[in-house]
Amino acid sequence: MLRNFFLTVILLTGGCLLQAQNREYVIVVHGGAGDVAGLESDPVRSAQYYAALDSALSIGDRILATGGEGPQAVMAVINYFENNPLFNAGKGATCTADGTFELDASIMEGKDLSAGAVAGVKTIKNPINAAYAVKTKTPHVMLSGTGADLFAAEQGLEQVDNMYFATPKTMKWIDKLKQESKKNGTVGCVVLDKQGNLTAGTSTGGMFKKKWGRIGDSPVIGAGTYADNQSCAVSCTGHGEYFIRHAVAFNLCARYKFLKEPVEEAADYIINVELNANEGNGGLIAVDKDGNIAMPFNSTGMFRGYLYKEKGGAAKEKKVGIGKTMVSIAE
Ligand code: ASP
C-alpha cells in the first residue's frame, strides 16, 4: 500500500487546491495541527501517519460510495482515529495536569443545523458517539463531565476505565508532567454526501496539562465544529482558546455565505491572517456545498487528507499530507 503514496507529489501552500464543482461526494479528514518538524523526514514514522490517513479516507469512502449518509461516515472515520493511539483523541489522548484524561467531541449536520457535543468526559470509549447521541436522543446540544458520562452509559455506549486512554507514550508524560508535550492530533472529519448534505465532526483529548476542567473549541459548536448546507462543513484543530474567541468554524461559514468568499479564500484569511495576527496556532478542514475543499494551517504541519468523486465519473482523487507536501494515493 505504501508504494502508492509516492506516485505523485504535489507541493501545496496553505489552503490549496481544488476548483472543480459538482462533486458526487467528498470526505476531508484531519489528525491535528502542530509542530511536525522532523516527522516528514522520518520515513518510518511519517508512513504510519500517511497509512492512518489513507485508512480513514477509505473508511469514509466505503460508506459514502454506497449512499451512506454524512453522520455515519463522520462517526466511522472519527471512531477509527479515536481507537488509533497515534492521535490525540480517544485512546492516545493527551493528559490533564493531574495525569488523567478528559475528552471533548462534537458533531453537526448541515441539513437542519442539529448538533451534539460532550465535554470533559472521562469514561466514554468513543466520545463522538456520545456527541451524536446528545444530538439525536436529547433536546440539548452539549453535555459535560459526569452527567455526560452517565448519559452515555444509559445509552449503552461502551465505557472504559479512565486509564484505558493511556498509552506507553502518555504514561511517560504522566510520569514526568514537567516536560512539555509535542503531541498534537485532535481529529476531525467533514463530508459532503451523495444526498448533498454536509456534516462535520471533531474529537480530542484537548491541550496537554489542561487544568480546572478546561474545555477547548472542539466541542463548541461554531468554534471547533460547524455545518450548514447553505455554506460549509468545518472542523478545526489548534490552540482552542483562539478558535473560540474567533468563532472560527462559524466565521468561515459566515464569510462564505454573506461575503460570498470562496471556501479556500475565507479559510485562508481566518487561519493565516486573523488567527496569525493573534498568535492563534492551528488549522482547519472545510468542504463547501459544491464540494470545494480548504485545508489551511499556520503551524508547521497538519495531518490531513481528502478524497472526492466527480459526478458522472468513475475516478476518485485521494491525497494525504503532513507538512506542506501532499501525496497522491492511487485508488
Ligand atoms: N483544539 C484542541 C483544544 O484546544 C486541541 C488541538 O486541536 O490540538 O482542545
Side-chain angles (χ1 to χ4, degrees):
M1 179 169 40
L2 289 180
R3 72 193 141 81
N4 292 333
F5 292 121
F6 304 105
L7 289 180
T8 313
V9 175
I10 297 176
L11 286 176
L12 298 165
T13 55
C16 66
L17 30 116
L18 310 167
Q19 298 301 324
Q21 309 283 312
N22 271 337
R23 297 202 162 128
E24 190 172 324
Y25 62 86
V26 180
I27 177 161
V28 193
V29 300
H30 74 73
D35 181 8
V36 297
L39 183 60
E40 265 198 313
S41 55
D42 179 336
V44 176
R45 281 179 65 221
S46 59
Q48 288 180 331
Y49 284 95
Y50 285 135
L53 292 164
D54 178 22
S55 298
L57 290 169
S58 297
I59 288 167
D61 183 29
R62 278 196 289 277
I63 293 168
L64 296 174
T66 51
E69 296 194 357
Q72 200 190 339
V74 165
M75 287 207 294
V77 166
I78 292 185
N79 281 175
Y80 168 77
F81 281 132
E82 287 174 336
N83 295 341
N84 186 330
L86 283 177
F87 299 95
N88 173 18
K91 184 150 187 80
T94 198
C95 59
T96 66
D98 295 332
T100 60
F101 301 92
E102 295 181 4
L103 301 101
D104 305 329
S106 63
I107 187 163
M108 182 167 188
E109 283 194 70
K111 69 175 181 208
D112 55 5
L113 304 186
S114 61
V118 291
V121 295
K122 294 181 177 167
T123 61
I124 304 167
K125 184 179 178 197
N126 293 108
I128 194 73
N129 298 356
Y132 186 71
V134 171
K135 183 178 98 64
T136 50
K137 305 273 176 56
T138 81
H140 309 303
V141 168
M142 190 192 291
L143 299 182
S144 71
T146 313
D149 280 323
L150 283 174
F151 163 74
E154 271 175 32
Q155 294 299 314
L157 297 179
E158 191 171 348
Q159 299 289 302
V160 290
D161 182 85
N162 192 241
M163 291 316 282
Y164 157 84
F165 299 110
T167 62
K169 190 167 168 184
T170 52
M171 281 308 289
K172 273 193 215 147
W173 299 344
I174 293 170
D175 290 345
K176 302 189 245 173
L177 272 172
K178 30 192 150 42
Q179 178 185 316
E180 274 307 310
S181 163
K182 295 265 186 294
K183 181 151 188 164
N184 297 289
T186 291
V187 303
C189 178
V190 297
V191 156
L192 172 67
D193 64 22
K194 280 189 179 183
Q195 294 76 9
N197 292 316
L198 293 168
T199 308
T202 311
S203 183
T204 189
M207 303 269 285
F208 180 57
K209 288 208 293 194
K210 61 187 184 181
K211 296 208 272 188
W212 308 300
R214 178 264 187 192
I215 290 166
D217 60 314
S218 306
V220 178
I221 298 301
T225 304
Y226 202 75
D228 175 0
N229 271 11
Q230 292 183 35
S231 53
C232 308
V234 188
S235 170
C236 302
T237 173
H239 196 144
E241 279 68 12
Y242 294 91
F243 284 74
I244 294 173
R245 288 176 193 142
H246 291 265
V248 168
F250 179 76
N251 194 350
L252 170 50
C253 291
R255 293 189 78 92
Y256 179 95
K257 192 164 159 180
F258 302 119
L259 297 181
K260 313 281 181 220
E261 287 181 355
V263 62
E264 282 183 70
E265 192 182 318
D268 188 57
Y269 178 82
I270 294 167
I271 295 298
N272 289 313
V273 179
E274 210 174 298
L275 281 195
N276 235 7
N278 293 284
E279 295 167 4
N281 194 263
L284 62 80
I285 54 170
V287 57
D288 73 13
K289 59 188 174 56
D290 296 317
N292 297 300
I293 295 167
M295 305 187 296
F297 50 91
N298 62 22
S299 42
T300 59
M302 180 169 78
F303 302 105
R304 65 202 184 283
Y306 69 81
L307 177 149
Y308 67 81
K309 182 169 176 293
E310 299 287 357
K311 275 186 185 152
K316 294 174 189 172
E317 178 162 314
K318 190 185 207 182
K319 286 185 182 163
V320 296
I322 297 175
K324 296 270 183 247
T325 307
M326 291 291 283
V327 179
S328 278
I329 301 175
E331 268 300 289

